């Protein structure tokens, strides 16, 4: 039986405002995406070869959180186009066998959404209970819950002498999923886009959907966690505002809508206290994929990545039917090439990271621009857009040495160093990072062991990572070894006999190895082992 498409797909996240501007207003748009689909996959080796795109939110929004504050779930933001340009983009993507998933932001709306405008208009409005309100006085919020963006998770509404709850900005009130009308309204939204032909959704903060009915205080946490350092909510144990057991019922409801259609999927943005809890979301009646954000916290050390991978393999073993997901960059964190920069070794590390991402057992998600090595841009204060400082990883795609993103000389965010890093500079150069991504994606797609094989760790020096991907003998018994050197110095690993399929260092393809494998600094190699 063939695995479902989302297990063998390479996803590519597009931040629509920053991909390509077709009408010269300095803002990327849907027609711009359509115009660059051939770059993503034109069916030949000249294109990147990805199989699906995830678009960050494209709905109308006052842009307080750049689209993650939706004011109309069934429309298109006028900066980006309209439903006609959306339909064109979708049809053109499908014509190239590129699937399209949209960002669904069900946890909260914009405070400008008509639902909230009605809800806040009076205590007796029929939409009042679509959000989470507590009557009271302005001196004391109803409980100790905190916003992920800092400060209390409660905003006082003087007109109705009540507090409303917001997990993010005060302009992003949380919906009340204890109200069945909200559940049906969101099912209708999901159905609207599935009817239009989208292949699924990336579901924003899916683990936040339900809140404690009694609104109990969260306990303070006593342990230290990897989240506590940067996370404004890190001091609390989110027993009552996140990861409630009832959340899974809401997700099952979403899934029941999806299952009325053929072959549609959801990938959840799941923030969990314990990585182990991911499995509870990856049930046959819930989401098919869940982001694993642990790589974002890993320093450039083999041991750090090894422990994330092994934990993931342990939680989601092949027999459990659930499938891992890996990603290194997205619109919320500094790009991994910038996180791992190390002078002249920076690009070598980016190549090695790509090998890891695209050869693990699991579905990889790429972030636009990583294939050319786009760096985070130092956005000066006067040009900054995002309230919580995530502009650096959201800058326009660097198409040409002159930018190539827009005909406007005022792009909505400043461009990075296009004279050094651009598609135009790399597209025809066999040795470029872009050409390497193309070869790597193609190799993944044509190597069954990499798509479906089991994962087994192999012995390696402490600053190297080695693993084997293997198909059952009953299929073709293909075995592939992946070896990655995380050190800035050469290393030597034990390796069974085989042939190099691809190395981050050019010119090693078809080289025979056996007994031992030499890797240069930050080199990664993929080796087909002899049968
Ligand atoms: C998710 C999004 C982030 C957004 C937040 C609130 O974490 O990835 O960009 O700000 O949700 O919607």
């Amino acid at each position: 039986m063939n695995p479902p498409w989302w297990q063998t797909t390479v996803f590519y996240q597009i931040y629509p405002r920053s991909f390509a501007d077709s009408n010269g207003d300095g803002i990327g748009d849907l027609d711009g995406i359509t115009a660059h689909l051939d770059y993503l996959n034109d069916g030949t080796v000249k294109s990147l070869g990805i199989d699906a795109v995830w678009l960050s939110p494209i709905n109308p929004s006052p842009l307080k959180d750049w689209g993650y504050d939706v004011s109309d779930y069934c429309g298109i933001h006028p900066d980006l186009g309209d439903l006609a340009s959306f339909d064109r983009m979708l049809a053109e993507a499908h014509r190239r066998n590129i699937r399209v998933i949209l960002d669904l932001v069900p946890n909260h709306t914009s405070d400008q959404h008509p639902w909230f405008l009605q809800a806040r208009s009076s205590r007796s409005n029929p939409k009042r209970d679509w959000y989470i309100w507590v009557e009271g006085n302005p001196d004391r919020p109803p409980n100790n819950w905190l916003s992920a963006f800092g400060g209390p998770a409660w905003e006082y509404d003087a007109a109705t002498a009540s507090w409303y709850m917001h997990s993010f900005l005060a302009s992003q009130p949380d919906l009340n999923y204890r109200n069945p009308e909200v559940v049906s309204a969101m099912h209708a939204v999901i159905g609207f886009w599935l009817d239009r032909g989208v292949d699924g959704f990336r579901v924003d903060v899916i683990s936040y959907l339900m809140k404690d009915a009694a609104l109990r205080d969260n306990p303070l946490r006593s342990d230290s966690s990897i989240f506590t350092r940067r996370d404004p909510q890190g001091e609390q144990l989110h027993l009552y505002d996140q990861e409630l057991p009832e959340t899974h019922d809401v997700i099952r409801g979403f899934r029941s809508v999806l299952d009325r259609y053929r072959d549609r999927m959801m990938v959840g943005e799941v923030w969990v206290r314990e990585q182990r809890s991911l499995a509870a979301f990856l049930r046959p009646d819930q989401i098919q994929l869940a982001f694993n954000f642990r790589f974002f916290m890993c320093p450039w050390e083999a041991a750090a990545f090894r422990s994330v991978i092994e934990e993931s393999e342990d939680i989601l073993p092949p027999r459990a039917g659930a499938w891992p997901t890996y990603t290194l960059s997205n619109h919320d964190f500094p790009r991994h090439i910038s996180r791992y920069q190390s002078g002249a070794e920076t690009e070598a590390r980016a190549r090695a990271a790509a090998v890891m991402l695209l050869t693990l057992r699991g579905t990889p998600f790429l972030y636009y621009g990583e294939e050319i090595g786009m760096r985070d841009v130092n956005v000066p204060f006067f040009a900054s857009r995002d309230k919580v400082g995530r502009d650096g990883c959201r800058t326009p795609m660097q198409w040409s040495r002159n930018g190539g993103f827009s005909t406007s000389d005022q792009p909505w965010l400043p461009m990075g160093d296009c004279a050094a890093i651009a598609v135009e500079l790399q597209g025809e150069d066999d040795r470029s990072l872009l050409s390497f991504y193309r070869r790597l994606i193609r190799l993944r797609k044509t190597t069954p062991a990499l798509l479906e094989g089991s994962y087994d760790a192999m012995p390696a020096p402490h600053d190297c990572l080695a693993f084997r991907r293997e198909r059952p003998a009953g299929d073709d018994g293909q075995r592939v070894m992946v070896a990655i050197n995380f050190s800035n110095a050469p290393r030597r690993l034990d390796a069974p006999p085989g042939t190099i399929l691809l190395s981050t260092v050019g010119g090693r393809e078809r080289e025979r190895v056996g007994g031992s494998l030499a890797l240069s600094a930050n080199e990664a190699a993929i080796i087909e082992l002899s049968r």
Side-chain angles (χ1 to χ4, degrees), residues 65 68 108 149 168 202 204-205 269 331-332 390 394:
D65 188 16
Y68 287 93
H108 44 268
F149 291 157
F168 296 90
R202 174 267 187 188
D204 194 62
V205 291
E269 186 200 18
H331 63 293
D332 289 329
R390 296 165 294 185
R394 299 175 176 181

Side-chain angles (χ1 to χ4, degrees), residues 8-9 20 100 139 143 196 219 239 329 341 435 441 456 475 514 517:
T8 54
T9 282
V100 178
D139 310 331
N143 65 19
R196 277 204 118 77
L239 281 192
S329 288
Q341 63 180 313
S435 297
I441 291 171
D456 285 289
D475 290 339
L517 168 71

Side-chain angles (χ1 to χ4, degrees), residues 13 15 54 56-57 65-69 103 105 107-108 148-149 167-169 172 202-205 208 269 271 293 330-333 386 388 390 394:
Q13 179 188 358
Y15 198 72
W54 148 32
S56 278
D65 188 16
W66 297 101
Y68 287 93
D69 48 329
D103 219 307
V105 190
N107 178 68
H108 44 268
F149 291 157
S167 295
F168 296 90
L169 299 172
Q172 293 171 292
R202 174 267 187 188
V203 188
D204 194 62
V205 291
Y208 283 47
E269 186 200 18
W271 290 104
F293 293 113
N330 71 18
H331 63 293
D332 289 329
F333 294 88
D386 181 45
V388 290
R390 296 165 294 185
R394 299 175 176 181

Side-chain angles (χ1 to χ4, degrees), residues 142 269 378 380 389 460 509:
E269 186 200 18
N378 217 329
E509 289 74 28

Side-chain angles (χ1 to χ4, degrees), residues 6 21 55 66 72 80 129 132 212 221 224-225 303 319 330 334 356 363 468 505:
W6 52 85
D21 170 18
L55 306 185
W66 297 101
D72 171 8
L80 306 181
D129 194 36
I132 302 166
D212 182 43
R221 60 189 312 161
S224 69
S225 119
R319 62 183 177 282
N330 71 18
M356 180 180 66
T363 299
R468 189 175 50 238
V505 172

